[in-house]
Every structure is written in C-alpha cells, then in structure tokens.
Amino acid sequence: MTSSNTDPGRRERKKAATRRALSETALQLFLERGFDNVTVREIAEAADVSTTTLMNYFPAKEALVFDLDDELERSLVEAVTVRPPDLSVLESLRRYMRARAERAVSGRHADRFMKLVLDTPALSEHWRKIWLRHERALAEAVAAELGRPADDMSCTALAHLVLDAFSLAIHSADPVRMIDTTFDIVEPGWPPANRAATD
C-alpha cells in the first residue's frame, strides 16, 4: 500500500530529472556548436537515450532550450504577489524586468545563452512565443492584487506591454535603459499608477 502511494511521486521526480538532464545536454551542445549544427539524434546519443524517448519529453528541438518555463511564470507572478507592501505593482515589475535584462546581457553563462537565442531565428521566435504565453497568468495576478476582475482589460494590456518590453530590451544596445524607457511610457497611462495605497 505504501509503495503504491509513493511510486507516482518517485516517477514524477525521475521524469523531471530525465527532462532536466536532456535539456542540459542539449544546451551544452548548442552552446558549443550552434543550434543548427546539432541534430536531435546527436542529443539523444549524448544523453544515452533513444530519439523516441527524447521526443516524448520535447516534441520540438527548440523546446530543449526552454525547459524553465514554469519557473519563469512563477517568478513573474511573484514579482506582483510577493513584493514589499510599500512597492507598487508597476515598480516591482520594472525592477523585475531590469534585473532580468541585466542578467541576460551579463558576461556569464546567461550571456552565451541569450546570444544563442538571438542569433538563431527559430529560437528567437520560439522564445518570444513562450515569453508572451505567460501574459494571462501575469494579468490575472495583477488584477487580483488590485481587486479587479480577472479579465480586466487594463491588467491584460499591462501584462502584454511588460512582457513585450523584455523582448524589445534584449535587442537594444542598452537593455536596462530600454526597460526604464518602456515603463516611463507605460506609467502615465496605467490607471492605478498614482494610487500609492492600493497599487
């Protein structure tokens, strides 16, 4: 009885570990040789799994590069829901996006990752679709914080603009300044912007 209760959890942990190992193997090969110069078969061989197994976890080659989707969405939502009480939603999102922009262009591993994404059209397009896919979760988090309906149009618009700002920023010569410029433009038109006690 105990075994049947714990096996599902073990299976999920094993699947998560396998997924992460496949993603890490693929990313290492992509960084070394370029996305277009590595085949799915080569990734499977390097990870010591069959091509079928790899495709069961990642139906598209591009998906191998973006395996932190859930973590990204969680951090976006937490920028709204776990901010200091004296920090507005808009300012918290500005700081969050500035930090992401700074990491994206740092001289460490993140810099190599972003260069790979930006230099590969298929990855750049796939990444942008994934990034904007979090729009609904972010919009609903903002709406909840402001006591508005989940489908509030101003919250949806804000989420879209905030997410698109990052895409604009990483293609800019000065990503952090681009984030600030975008938020400076958005702020005057954001209805709750001047309600310090509730935003």
Side-chain angles (χ1 to χ4, degrees):
M1 211 45 198
T2 302
S3 176
S4 64
N5 287 336
T6 57
D7 282 350
R10 288 176 182 160
R11 283 197 299 271
E12 289 306 311
R13 287 194 297 273
K14 184 176 180 180
K15 285 171 64 176
T18 299
R19 184 179 180 88
R20 182 170 291 277
L22 290 171
S23 180
E24 290 175 351
T25 298
L27 182 57
Q28 186 60 42
L29 290 172
F30 293 151
L31 290 173
E32 290 173 358
R33 294 161 49 190
F35 180 79
D36 295 326
N37 298 322
V38 180
T39 67
V40 170
R41 183 181 296 276
E42 288 174 321
I43 297 168
E45 290 176 353
D48 196 26
V49 300
S50 69
T51 302
T52 301
T53 296
L54 186 147
M55 297 304 289
N56 284 338
Y57 282 92
F58 298 96
K61 183 180 172 185
E62 292 82 2
L64 282 154
V65 180
F66 303 100
D67 193 37
L68 299 178
D69 209 18
D70 291 342
E71 293 178 22
L72 172 59
E73 185 164 298
R74 183 164 52 252
S75 68
L76 270 168
V77 170
E78 287 180 351
V80 173
T81 61
V82 193
R83 71 189 195 284
D86 60 343
L87 191 66
S88 73
V89 166
L90 204 59
E91 182 59 27
S92 184
L93 286 171
R94 181 198 290 259
R95 294 183 186 184
Y96 174 85
M97 287 299 173
R98 287 179 100 260
R100 289 204 76 92
E102 288 171 348
R103 288 199 300 272
V105 295
S106 70
R108 300 179 180 178
H109 178 76
D111 183 50
R112 293 176 65 205
F113 173 79
M114 289 309 305
K115 186 177 189 315
L116 171 71
V117 172
L118 295 178
D119 288 350
T120 310
L123 288 180
S124 186
E125 180 61 23
H126 188 81
W127 170 81
R128 189 172 187 278
K129 287 178 180 177
I130 285 178
W131 186 254
L132 289 178
R133 200 166 65 205
H134 301 304
E135 182 180 302
R136 181 175 178 181
L138 179 57
E140 289 180 352
V142 172
E145 286 295 298
L146 302 181
R148 298 184 169 206
D151 61 350
D152 182 85
M153 292 179 67
S154 63
C155 296
T156 299
L158 177 68
H160 181 85
L161 292 169
V162 165
L163 291 170
D164 220 19
F166 184 77
S167 178
L168 181 64
I170 62 170
H171 288 87
S172 167
D174 190 340
V176 174
R177 184 179 177 189
M178 181 58 77
I179 290 291
D180 281 334
T181 298
T182 303
F183 273 82
D184 287 345
I185 292 172
V186 170
E187 190 168 12
W190 174 233
N194 296 319
R195 290 165 48 193
T198 58
D199 72 345

